[in-house]
Amino acid sequence: MAAEGMGTSGASTPAIRQLEGALGRIGITGAHKQIIALILIGCLFDAFEQNTIGIAGPALRAQWGLTGADIGFLNTITFGSAALGRLLSGIIGDRYGRRVMLMTNLLLFTIGSLGCALAPSFGWLCLARAVVGFGVGGEISTAVTMLAEFCSPKFRGTAAGLVNVAAGGLGNFLAPAFGLFIFALFPGDNAWRWLFAALAVPALLAAFYRKLVPETPRFLVSQNRVKEANHVLSVLASGSLRPHDLRIQAFLTEEANPPAPPKSAWRDLFRAPFIGRTVAVAIAILMSYGAQLSVLTLMPTIFVSMGYSYSGSLLYSMTIQSGSVLGAIVASLFGYYFPRKRVLTIGAVMACLAAIAIATLGVNIYLVLLFGAIFQFFVLLLNTSIWIYAPELYPTRIRAFGVALILATGSAAGSFIPIISGYLFDHHGMLGVFGLAAGMYAVFALCIQFGPETYGMSMEDVTIRADDEAAAPLPGAAPKAI
C-alpha cells in the first residue's frame, strides 16, 4: 500500500479542466457562503443528536435502571445504522446526485428524533435510534462531499472542514448546554423526552431552506450535463442563490459528441489504485471515531461516578468540549495551508499523549478538565482533517460512495467500541477508557502513512496538481501569444 498513491484516480477530461479554472476564477462568493450555512445548520443539530445518549444517559440509568453497557448499546444501534445509511447515501449520491440525499436524510433524522421522544421502553428507543442513525449517517457524508465539490481546489479543504466545525466542534461543545437548557425548561423524570423532541424542530426548518441548494457542478459535469453546470456556476458567480435577472455564462464548452458519462461502479473502490487508500484511511477513522464516541458517551457518567451532580457533569463535559471547537476551527485553517498527512500524523501522536495524560495524571478534576480539553482539541483536529482528506481520495464518479465508506467505518466503530469502553469503565474506571483511546490513536498514526498526499492535487487524479490541470491547454486550443 505504500506505493499506492502513485496510481491514477481518474480521467482529466477537457470539461474537468475547464471546471477547475472556472471554480478558481469564481472564488468564494456570497452564494458559496449561503450553501455552507444551509448545510451546516443540519450538521449542527446532527451533532446535538449524536450527543443526546451521553447527555440523557444518567437520566435513563436512573429511570430505567440501565447499565453502562446498555448506554453503549444505544450507540451501537445508532452508529451501526449510521454506517448503513452512509453507504446507501453514497451509492444513491453517485448515481442520482448529491442533492437528493439532503432532504431524505433530514426527514429520517426528524422521524427518528420524534420516535425517541415517544419511546415507551428500551426496545422502542433502540428502534428509534436506528432510524436516527440512518439519517445522520447519510447527512454528514453527503455534506462533506458537496462542499468539497462546490469550491475551488485551494478552498475545498477549508469548506469540507467547516462541516466538522459545526458538527464536531460547535455541536459537541454546545450539546451539553442545549441539554441543560431543555432540562431547565422541562424539569422532571421525562426531561430527556423533551430533549429528543426539541431536535426535530430545527431539522424541519433546515430541510425547508435546503431547497435552495443546487446540485454540485462537478457531478453535473461528470454526467455531461454541461448546460446545468453552467447554470450552477453562474449562480455561484452571481453571489446569491436567488439572483435577480441571472445571466448564464458559458464557463464550460458543450462538446458536439461528448463521451458517455462514466458509470458509478462502487466495486472500483476495492481495486487498485483505490483499495490501498480505502483500507488505510478506513482503519484510521475507525480508531479515531471509536475513541471519540466512547469518551463523548461516557464522560457525563464518569463525572457522576466521581461524585458530581448531573448538571455539574454536563457543565464539566461542556468545558472539555471547548477544545473541540478550537480543534475543528484550526483543522479547517490547516486545510488551506498544510499537507493532509502531516496534520493527521502529528495530530494522532498528540491525541495519544493526551489520552495517556488523562489516564495517568488525571488525579483531580482540574487536571481531568485540562487534559480532557487538550484531548478533544486533537480529536476534532483529526476528525475534521479526515473529512477534508476523504473527498480528495476519489474521482467524482465514485466520490460519494468512497467518502461514505470511509465515514461508515467510523460509524461502525461507534456501534461497538463504546460497549468495550463501557465494560472497561465498569471494571477499570478512567484508566481503561483512556488507555484504550491512546492505543487507538497510535494505530491511527501508523495507518495514515499508507495513503497518498492530496493537498493541492486534482480531485480526479492525485498524481496531477490542480493548478497545473486548470492551466493545461484544451485540445485544439490556439497557443497563447507571448
Side-chain angles (χ1 to χ4, degrees):
M1 286 191 296
E4 181 274 328
M6 297 304 294
T8 61
S9 39
S12 178
T13 66
I16 286 294
R17 293 200 295 274
Q18 288 180 320
L19 178 61
E20 294 286 5
L23 290 173
R25 292 193 302 274
I26 292 172
I28 299 302
T29 69
H32 283 94
K33 296 174 184 177
Q34 292 168 19
I35 290 171
I36 291 171
L38 290 170
I39 290 177
L40 295 192
I41 290 173
C43 293
L44 175 67
F45 287 97
D46 280 358
F48 282 4
E49 178 55 68
Q50 292 182 62
N51 279 271
T52 51
I53 295 301
I55 294 171
L60 290 170
R61 284 168 67 106
Q63 189 173 94
W64 286 351
L66 303 184
T67 65
D70 291 331
I71 299 299
F73 183 70
L74 287 172
N75 269 347
T76 297
I77 296 293
T78 305
F79 291 99
S81 177
L84 295 176
R86 281 179 174 165
L87 293 176
L88 183 59
S89 290
I91 293 173
I92 296 174
D94 280 332
R95 179 164 298 182
Y96 299 108
R98 321 316 193 191
R99 186 175 179 271
V100 67
M101 295 311 301
L102 288 178
M103 304 292 289
T104 303
N105 291 325
L106 273 176
L107 177 62
L108 290 172
F109 170 86
T110 303
I111 293 172
S113 295
L114 292 175
C116 291
L118 299 172
S121 65
F122 181 68
W124 182 282
L125 183 60
C126 289
L127 179 61
R129 294 305 298 171
V131 178
V132 167
F134 210 89
V136 169
E139 171 84 5
I140 296 296
S141 60
T142 302
V144 171
T145 301
M146 290 191 75
L147 290 185
E149 292 185 346
F150 270 119
C151 298
S152 64
K154 188 67 174 177
F155 190 72
R156 71 190 183 209
T158 298
L162 287 174
V163 174
N164 217 26
V165 173
L170 289 174
N172 288 340
F173 174 64
L174 295 176
F178 182 73
L180 287 173
F181 175 71
I182 297 299
F183 293 161
L185 287 179
F186 305 100
D189 293 339
N190 289 319
W192 61 270
R193 296 183 184 276
W194 289 104
L195 177 64
F196 287 116
L199 290 170
V201 177
L204 289 173
L205 180 64
F208 173 78
Y209 283 119
R210 282 188 177 181
K211 293 178 181 179
L212 297 173
V213 179
E215 183 56 79
T216 72
R218 281 190 182 275
F219 176 79
L220 294 172
V221 169
S222 74
Q223 300 298 304
N224 291 331
R225 294 157 61 181
V226 175
K227 184 176 181 180
E228 294 174 65
N230 276 326
H231 182 273
V232 173
L233 290 170
S234 299
V235 169
L236 294 177
S238 75
S240 173
L241 292 181
R242 302 189 71 176
H244 298 289
D245 301 322
L246 177 66
R247 183 173 65 87
I248 305 299
Q249 303 180 51
F251 289 99
L252 312 177
T253 303
E254 295 189 58
E255 298 182 50
N257 297 296
K263 293 182 179 180
S264 170
W266 60 268
R267 296 179 184 84
D268 286 354
L269 265 73
F270 304 101
R271 304 187 182 107
F274 307 113
I275 181 64
R277 67 190 70 168
T278 299
V279 171
V281 179
I283 293 174
I285 203 169
L286 186 149
M287 297 294 110
S288 187
Y289 267 48
Q292 180 198 20
L293 294 172
S294 294
V295 173
L296 284 177
T297 302
L298 291 172
M299 212 64 224
T301 303
I302 288 174
F303 283 127
V304 170
S305 72
M306 294 171 67
Y308 297 100
S309 66
Y310 186 20
S311 59
S313 71
L314 292 181
L315 286 173
Y316 286 142
S317 296
M318 184 175 177
T319 301
I320 286 178
Q321 292 298 339
S322 62
S324 300
V325 181
L326 186 58
I329 293 173
V330 169
S332 295
L333 294 175
F334 283 2
Y336 191 85
Y337 293 107
F338 298 113
R340 314 305 188 213
K341 290 176 65 175
R342 183 189 306 171
V343 174
L344 290 166
T345 301
I346 296 174
V349 172
M350 297 305 296
C352 177
L353 295 176
I356 293 173
I358 297 173
T360 58
L361 302 177
V363 295
N364 58 53
I365 186 62
Y366 304 106
L367 290 176
V368 170
L369 293 176
L370 173 62
F371 292 130
I374 294 173
F375 175 77
Q376 285 300 119
F377 172 86
F378 287 108
V379 167
L380 266 293
L381 176 77
L382 290 171
N383 286 357
T384 304
S385 298
I386 281 283
W387 289 13
I388 292 171
Y389 189 43
E392 299 176 340
L393 294 171
Y394 305 103
T396 300
R397 63 188 173 85
I398 56 172
R399 181 172 298 120
F401 184 66
V403 172
L405 180 62
I406 288 176
L407 297 188
T409 307
S411 298
S415 72
F416 69 92
I417 299 295
I419 294 180
I420 299 173
S421 297
Y423 174 85
L424 291 174
F425 173 68
D426 289 339
H427 292 82
H428 303 286
M430 282 202 307
L431 181 62
V433 175
F434 287 98
L436 176 64
M440 295 175 77
Y441 281 112
V443 174
F444 181 108
L446 175 64
C447 287
I448 209 66
Q449 306 311 310
F450 294 100
E453 181 54 68
T454 60
Y455 177 67
M457 308 304 285
S458 165
M459 290 191 81
E460 305 304 321
D461 186 339
V462 296
T463 66
I464 300 175
R465 290 197 59 83
D467 48 4
D468 293 341
E469 182 178 61
L474 298 178
K480 291 182 179 180
I482 300 176

